[in-house]
């Protein structure tokens, strides 16, 4: 039987065609199902991989979340502590604010007091300036008086030398109490002369002296109204002569109403006691 005839026979037989169609359909169906299953298996496998990856990611996220929760917990505790600190700081700030307000009030009052003092100082300054001007004028007048007084003292001193011993005794009596503090009894003072027998100053020369002697000392005096540079040589020469004559300590005194400051300093360095009322520059 040729091929065309077979085909014609098949086409003329509907049952055969139907049977063949079922066979082909079943086979195609099986192939489609298998293919679908294979595709589904691949998809399922891919999904499993994805799910596995997601699970790992979820696990990591879980760990991260737990770590974050722990961190959040610690931060919560830290925040609570900070809130307490902030509360305490706020209370301190409130106290500081009150203190500052109190200080501002005190500063304000002090400012007012300072302003008042400045005004008073200004007035005092004006008064002092006025006084300084008056003192300046008085100082000039006083300086003139001192010059006149010094001149007068020199003149009186010269007069003392000429007038004899009466005025010297008067001066000694004026300073009697001061001399007594140095254990000097002016009633024992006598006037005399000492001769330079040894040539300490000028051999054979006689010097007038006021002195008296005790068992322990010899007291020598130079009495002046105004003690100038001449008194230095006078008292030191006489002390030297008496030390050689009596061979015992000699206490030297200069008694004067007025003494120049420079002369006083020199005499004190020489160990001479100075009894005086006024020091002249």
């Amino acid at each position: 039987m040729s091929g065309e005839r077979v085909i014609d026979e098949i086409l003329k037989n509907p049952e055969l065609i139907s049977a063949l169609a079922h066979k082909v359909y079943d086979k195609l169906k099986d192939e489609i199902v298998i293919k679908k299953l294979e595709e589904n298996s691949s998809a399922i496998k891919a999904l499993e991989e994805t799910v596995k990856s997601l699970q790992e990611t979820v696990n990591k996220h879980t760990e991260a979340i737990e770590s974050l929760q722990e961190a959040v917990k610690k931060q919560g505790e830290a925040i609570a502590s900070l809130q307490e600190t902030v509360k305490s700081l706020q209370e301190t700030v409130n106290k500081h604010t009150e203190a500052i307000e109190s200080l501002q009030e005190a500063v304000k009052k002090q400012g007012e007091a300072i302003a008042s003092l400045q005004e008073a100082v200004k007035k005092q300054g004006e008064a002092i300036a006025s006084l300084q001007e008056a003192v300046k004028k008085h100082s000039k007048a006083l300086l003139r008086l001192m010059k006149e007084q010094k001149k007068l003292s020199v003149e009186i001193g010269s007069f003392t030398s000429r007038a004899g011993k009466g005025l010297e005794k008067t001066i000694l009596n004026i300073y009697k109490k001061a001399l007594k503090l140095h254990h000097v009894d002016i009633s024992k003072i006598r006037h005399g002369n000492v001769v330079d027998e040894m040539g300490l100053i000028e051999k054979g020369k006689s010097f007038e002296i006021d002195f008296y002697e005790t068992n322990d000392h010899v007291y020598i005096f130079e009495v002046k109204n105004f003690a100038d540079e001449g008194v230095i040589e006078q008292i030191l020469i006489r002390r030297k002569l008496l030390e050689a004559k009596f061979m015992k300590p000699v206490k030297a005194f200069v008694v004067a109403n007025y003494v120049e400051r420079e002369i006083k300093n020199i005499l004190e360095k020489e160990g001479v006691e100075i009894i005086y009322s006024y020091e002249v520059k």
Side-chain angles (χ1 to χ4, degrees):
M1 184 179 294
S2 64
E4 291 179 357
R5 188 177 177 184
V6 171
I7 292 170
D8 287 338
E9 287 292 331
I10 292 170
L11 291 173
K12 290 178 179 180
N13 190 346
E15 293 178 359
L16 181 59
I17 291 171
S18 178
L20 287 172
H22 280 294
K23 288 288 185 182
V24 171
Y25 174 77
D26 289 338
K27 187 174 182 180
L28 288 173
K29 183 179 178 182
D30 290 340
E31 289 178 356
I32 290 170
V33 169
I34 290 168
K35 186 177 181 181
K36 203 68 175 174
L37 286 172
E38 289 176 352
E39 290 176 355
N40 287 344
S41 295
S42 298
I44 289 168
K45 188 175 182 181
L47 283 171
E48 286 176 346
E49 291 295 327
T50 301
V51 169
K52 183 178 179 182
S53 176
L54 287 172
Q55 186 63 47
E56 291 175 355
T57 301
V58 168
N59 291 338
K60 291 179 181 179
H61 287 176
T62 300
E63 293 174 358
I65 288 168
E66 289 176 352
S67 176
L68 286 171
Q69 286 174 330
E70 184 65 24
V72 168
K73 181 181 177 182
K74 291 180 179 178
Q75 288 178 351
E77 294 172 354
I79 289 169
S81 176
L82 286 172
Q83 286 174 331
E84 287 296 322
T85 303
V86 168
K87 182 180 178 182
S88 176
L89 287 173
Q90 186 60 49
E91 292 175 355
T92 303
V93 168
N94 291 339
K95 291 179 181 178
H96 287 177
T97 301
E98 293 174 359
I100 289 169
E101 289 175 353
S102 176
L103 286 171
Q104 286 174 332
E105 183 64 24
V107 168
K108 181 181 177 182
K109 291 180 180 179
Q110 288 177 353
E112 294 171 354
I114 289 169
S116 176
L117 285 171
Q118 286 174 332
E119 183 64 24
V121 168
K122 181 181 177 182
K123 291 180 180 178
Q124 288 178 352
E126 293 171 354
I128 289 170
S130 177
L131 285 172
Q132 286 175 332
E133 184 63 25
V135 168
K136 186 177 179 181
K137 292 179 181 179
H138 290 165
S139 296
K140 290 180 180 179
L142 183 61
L143 185 61
R144 288 196 300 270
L145 286 173
M146 288 176 66
K147 288 181 179 178
E148 293 297 326
Q149 185 184 48
K150 183 176 180 181
K151 182 180 178 182
L152 180 61
S153 296
V154 173
E155 291 173 352
I156 292 174
S158 299
F159 169 76
T160 302
S161 298
R162 295 192 302 271
K165 298 301 170 184
L167 191 54
E168 289 184 6
K169 287 183 179 180
T170 301
I171 293 173
L172 283 172
N173 279 317
I174 291 172
Y175 298 100
K176 180 178 180 180
K177 290 183 178 180
L179 287 164
K180 191 174 182 180
L181 294 174
H182 292 275
H183 309 290
V184 173
D185 184 356
I186 65 171
S187 65
K188 294 181 180 180
I189 298 174
R190 57 191 176 88
H191 183 72
N193 292 278
V194 60
V195 178
D196 183 6
E197 297 175 351
M198 301 175 64
L200 297 174
I201 308 301
E202 183 180 340
K203 191 171 183 178
K205 185 175 181 179
S206 178
F207 297 88
E208 286 187 278
I209 59 170
D210 293 301
F211 75 104
Y212 76 87
E213 181 185 6
T214 66
N215 293 331
D216 301 318
H217 299 88
V218 177
Y219 295 86
I220 182 173
F221 305 88
E222 277 296 324
V223 183
K224 302 286 185 182
N225 181 63
F226 182 81
D228 56 12
E229 60 183 350
V231 77
I232 298 173
E233 184 178 1
Q234 291 170 353
I235 193 69
L236 295 182
I237 286 174
R238 285 158 176 76
R239 183 174 68 179
K240 188 174 183 180
L241 292 172
L242 289 181
E243 285 174 343
K245 180 178 178 65
F246 291 97
M247 301 297 291
K248 63 176 64 175
V250 176
K251 290 188 175 182
F253 290 83
V254 170
V255 183
N257 287 325
Y258 302 89
V259 62
E260 291 183 358
R261 177 180 295 175
E262 184 179 357
I263 304 306
K264 179 178 78 72
N265 293 337
I266 293 172
L267 290 172
E268 287 176 343
K269 288 180 181 178
E270 293 291 340
V272 177
E273 295 289 346
I274 309 166
I275 310 298
Y276 66 98
S277 292
Y278 301 100
E279 180 181 302
V280 181
K281 294 182 180 179

